[in-house]
Amino acid sequence: MPAEIKKTVISYDEMKKQMDNELSAFISSGNETEYIEMPKYFFEKGICRISFNIPGFNEVSVFNILQIMKNHIENIRIHTMDPGYYAFQALNSNLFKTEDILDNIKIEIFGITANHKVEISKKANFTQEEVNLAIEIFRYFHNKEDIDAVSELKKLGASVYIENNSLSWNYIAGYEDVKRKIRESVILPLQNPDVYDSIAKLTRQKFESNRPKAILFEGSPGVGKTTIARIIAGEVKIPLVYLPIESIMSKWYGQSAKNLSEIFDYCEELGSCILFLDEIDSLAGSRDQNMFEATRRILSVLLRRLDGIESVTNTITIGATNRKNDLDTALISRFDQTIFFPLPNQNERSAIFSNYARHLSQSDLDAIGLLSDGLSGRNIKDICEYSERRWARKIIIKKEEVSVPPADYYKYSVNLWLGKNNIES
Ligand SMILES: Nc1ncnc2c1ncn2[C@@H]1O[C@H](COP(=O)(O)OP(=O)(O)OP(=O)(O)O)[C@@H](O)[C@H]1O
Ligand SMILES: [Mg+2]
C-alpha cells in the first residue's frame, strides 16, 4: 500500500465499515463453536474509539502487540505498564515537536482476572494505517493458531515431548511396586477423569476436583524418575512438558518466577499435560542472597499454582527430587502423594542387567546382580556401555569377528565401579 494511502484519514463510517467487513470475514473463517463479539465503536467529544473484548493476555502477548504496533507506528511511547493495565501512545514523527501529542492514537489493554479488553482511541478520525493496526490487534487476540502454546513453552525454556510412544513400561526392569502406585494414582485419573469428577459431585458440598494435581517422585539419582514420567505421558498420550528448575533459575535471574507462572498458563492451553519439574531440590539450601530472593519468588509461585485455589485443572505436575528432606515443608505439603523410588534390589539389578546385556545367562545375571549392591539403574546402564566399549576395543585391536562381551567383562566393570578393581585391563 503506498505511503499516501496509509496516511489517508478516513471517515468514522468508513472506518466502521472496513473493520466490520474484515473482522466478520475473519470470525466466520474460524472456529464456529466459539463466540467472538465484534468490536464496538464510539465517537464522543471528538474522540474516536474502538473497543473489544479479548480472551486474556499475558506478557508474551503484550510483547507481541508491541511488535505489531511497531510495524504500523513510527514512534511509540509506553504510557503505563502495570500488571493488568498497559497503555501505549504514538508520538509525533518529529520527536522534538511535542505539541498535540495527546491527540495521537492510544492503545490500551485492560484486565486482571476477567473482563479483558482492548481500547484504541484517538482525538480525530483514524488513518488507513491505524485502522489496519486495529484489525491486526483484534485478529492477534482472537487467533488461536497464533498463540501456539508449544512454541511459547519452548521459548520459556521447557522441552515438550509430544510423541512419547518410543518407551514402554518394559523399558524399566523391576520396580513393580512403583509401577503399581503410578498406575493407581496417576494413570487411572488421567484416563478416567469423569469417573473421579462424578464422585466428587456426589460427595462435595461445593464441587472440587478429587483428582491428584501434584505428585512427588523421590529417589536417588539414576533410579528412573525422568524415564517413568516420559513413559506415563506416552501411555496416556498427552504431552510431557519437561522443566528443570535449576535451568529456569540460572537462565532468567529475576524473571524466573514470572516465567514459571507463564509456563503453568501455557500448560493449561495444551489441554491435558504432565508438567515435570525436575531437580526441585535446587530450590533448597541456597545461601546466596540474590539467589535466595529468586528462590523465594519461585517457591511462592509453586505454592500458589499447586494449591487448590489457583491450581490448574488439566495439568498434572510431577516434581522430582533426590532429597525430599531438604525441601520446604509447605511445598512438600502441596503434593498429593510422594512416590519413593528405591535403589534396585538384587533381583531388580539382575533384571536391569538383562535389559542391557540380554545375551547373559540367568546364572550370570544372578551373580552380577548380587555383586552390584548399591548401584542405580543408570550406573548399571553405564557399566554395560563401558563393558561393550572395552570389548569393542579388544575386537578391533585383535581383528576378531564381532561377538558379545562375556560375563567376566561385566563383573570386572562392576568391581571397577565399586572401587574394587583399580587397574584397567
Ligand atoms: N529399573 C530400570 N530399568 C532399566 N533402566 C533403568 C532403570 N532405572 C534406571 N534406568 C536407566 O537409567 C538411566 C537414568 O534414569 P533416569 O534419568 O530416569 O533417572 P532419574 O531418577 O531421573 O535420575 P536423576 O535423579 O539423576 O534425574 C535411564 O537411561 C534409564 O533407562
Ligand atoms: Mg531425572
Side-chain angles (χ1 to χ4, degrees):
M1 193 183 286
E4 291 89 80
I5 299 185
K6 286 183 177 179
K7 286 191 183 148
T8 313
V9 174
I10 54 179
S11 71
Y12 178 71
D13 287 334
E14 173 64 18
M15 178 271 285
K16 283 205 298 192
K17 201 175 100 196
Q18 280 193 17
M19 295 273 306
D20 283 344
N21 283 347
E22 283 285 331
L23 296 179
S24 52
F26 165 73
I27 290 172
S28 59
S29 71
N31 184 352
E32 307 290 320
T33 56
E34 198 174 336
Y35 174 69
I36 300 179
E37 209 178 329
M38 291 290 283
K40 295 192 177 65
Y41 312 100
F42 307 90
F43 194 81
E44 314 167 306
K45 299 188 183 131
I47 295 178
C48 186
R49 186 188 309 274
I50 302 170
S51 168
F52 51 86
N53 294 329
I54 55 174
F57 62 89
N58 56 31
E59 280 177 18
V60 176
S61 40
V62 172
F63 184 82
N64 289 339
I65 287 300
L66 203 51
Q67 180 65 57
I68 294 174
M69 285 191 276
K70 191 63 201 158
N71 296 340
H72 296 269
I73 300 175
E74 201 177 343
N75 299 307
I76 315 166
R77 178 169 83 108
I78 298 173
H79 186 289
T80 312
M81 194 112 176
D82 294 331
Y85 179 55
Y86 295 83
F88 305 94
Q89 186 160 37
L91 293 170
N92 297 329
S93 52
N94 178 350
L95 285 173
F96 301 101
K97 222 178 107 221
T98 51
E99 64 253 32
D100 302 329
I101 206 167
L102 295 178
D103 297 351
N104 292 331
I105 190 165
K106 187 171 182 184
I107 293 124
E108 294 162 283
I109 309 170
F110 304 88
I112 294 185
T113 50
N115 304 326
H116 299 95
K117 66 173 180 173
V118 171
E119 283 202 0
I120 302 170
S121 57
K122 190 182 176 190
K123 213 168 163 189
N125 280 324
F126 288 14
T127 63
Q128 183 63 60
E129 180 88 58
E130 290 163 344
V131 173
N132 296 350
L133 170 62
I135 292 171
E136 243 188 274
I137 294 179
F138 182 94
R139 281 189 173 156
Y140 172 81
F141 279 112
H142 291 99
N143 193 349
K144 277 272 177 286
E145 280 154 33
D146 257 3
I147 312 168
D148 170 2
V150 172
S151 52
E152 297 301 335
L153 282 164
K154 287 183 181 163
K155 277 187 217 156
L156 290 164
S159 314
V160 184
Y161 300 94
I162 295 185
E163 294 294 335
N164 266 299
N165 298 330
S166 52
L167 290 183
S168 79
W169 286 103
N170 298 338
Y171 185 83
I172 292 289
Y175 286 84
E176 293 312 323
D177 200 35
V178 168
K179 289 178 185 171
R180 182 186 51 78
K181 281 188 193 146
I182 288 173
R183 197 165 294 282
E184 285 167 6
S185 56
V186 187
I187 308 263
L188 279 185
L190 282 171
Q191 285 178 333
N192 309 281
D194 31 323
V195 175
Y196 288 75
D197 288 354
S198 308
I199 294 175
K201 280 182 190 133
L202 296 171
T203 57
R204 312 287 169 109
Q205 294 278 8
K206 181 177 167 298
F207 174 72
E208 278 171 330
S209 173
N210 54 10
R211 284 182 270 145
K213 294 183 203 76
I215 307 274
L216 188 62
F217 284 3
E218 184 199 4
S220 307
V223 291
K225 301 181 294 296
T226 305
T227 311
I228 286 205
R230 292 193 63 179
I231 296 174
I232 298 170
E235 164 125 351
V236 188
K237 300 203 170 21
I238 57 175
L240 177 75
V241 179
Y242 176 82
L243 184 76
I245 292 285
E246 171 70 47
S247 90
I248 74 156
M249 290 216 295
S250 47
K251 214 161 168 184
W252 313 288
Y253 218 60
Q255 269 281 352
S256 35
K258 265 191 215 150
N259 289 358
L260 179 62
S261 188
E262 286 186 5
I263 285 176
F264 274 95
D265 290 339
Y266 285 121
C267 280
E268 191 67 351
E269 278 182 29
L270 288 178
S272 194
C273 78
I274 294 178
L275 172 59
F276 188 74
L277 301 177
D278 211 352
E279 304 164 13
I280 54 171
D281 5 69
S282 28
L283 288 176
S286 175
R287 296 280 168 269
D288 175 292
Q289 191 55 42
N290 290 321
M291 206 54 188
F292 179 74
E293 180 56 24
T295 307
R296 203 182 52 75
R297 282 201 244 124
I298 292 185
L299 245 181
S300 94
V301 169
L302 273 182
L303 293 178
R304 264 184 291 125
R305 302 307 293 240
L306 300 180
D307 200 8
I309 308 157
E310 234 185 90
S311 68
V312 285
T313 45
N314 290 317
T315 303
I316 176 158
T317 305
I318 298 181
T321 175
N322 300 147
R323 328 172 257 148
K324 183 179 170 188
N325 292 343
D326 292 353
L327 293 181
D328 182 83
T329 47
L331 180 60
I332 295 177
S333 74
R334 295 300 194 278
F335 289 93
D336 299 292
Q337 193 182 350
T338 297
I339 295 182
F340 179 68
F341 288 61
L343 281 171
N345 63 27
Q346 187 194 330
N347 286 339
E348 285 169 335
R349 289 193 301 272
S350 302
I352 300 171
F353 270 106
S354 79
N355 268 17
Y356 301 109
R358 65 185 163 97
H359 58 288
L360 295 182
S361 71
Q362 190 57 48
S363 64
D364 282 333
L365 289 170
D366 290 345
I368 298 173
L370 184 63
L371 194 65
S372 51
D373 188 21
L375 299 187
S376 69
R378 178 184 291 135
N379 297 151
I380 293 175
K381 191 180 178 196
D382 289 347
I383 283 172
C384 292
E385 275 170 15
Y386 175 72
S387 310
E388 287 171 18
R389 282 199 296 268
R390 271 180 57 233
W391 185 245
R393 217 159 53 214
K394 183 184 96 85
I395 285 182
I396 295 166
I397 292 169
K398 299 200 172 164
K399 297 191 169 66
E400 290 173 5
E401 285 275 300
V402 173
S403 59
V404 288
D408 283 349
Y409 261 66
Y410 293 92
K411 288 179 190 161
Y412 174 86
S413 308
V414 170
N415 281 328
L416 192 67
W417 198 274
L418 294 170
K420 291 178 187 165
N421 273 5
N422 296 317
I423 314 150
E424 174 98 357
S425 77

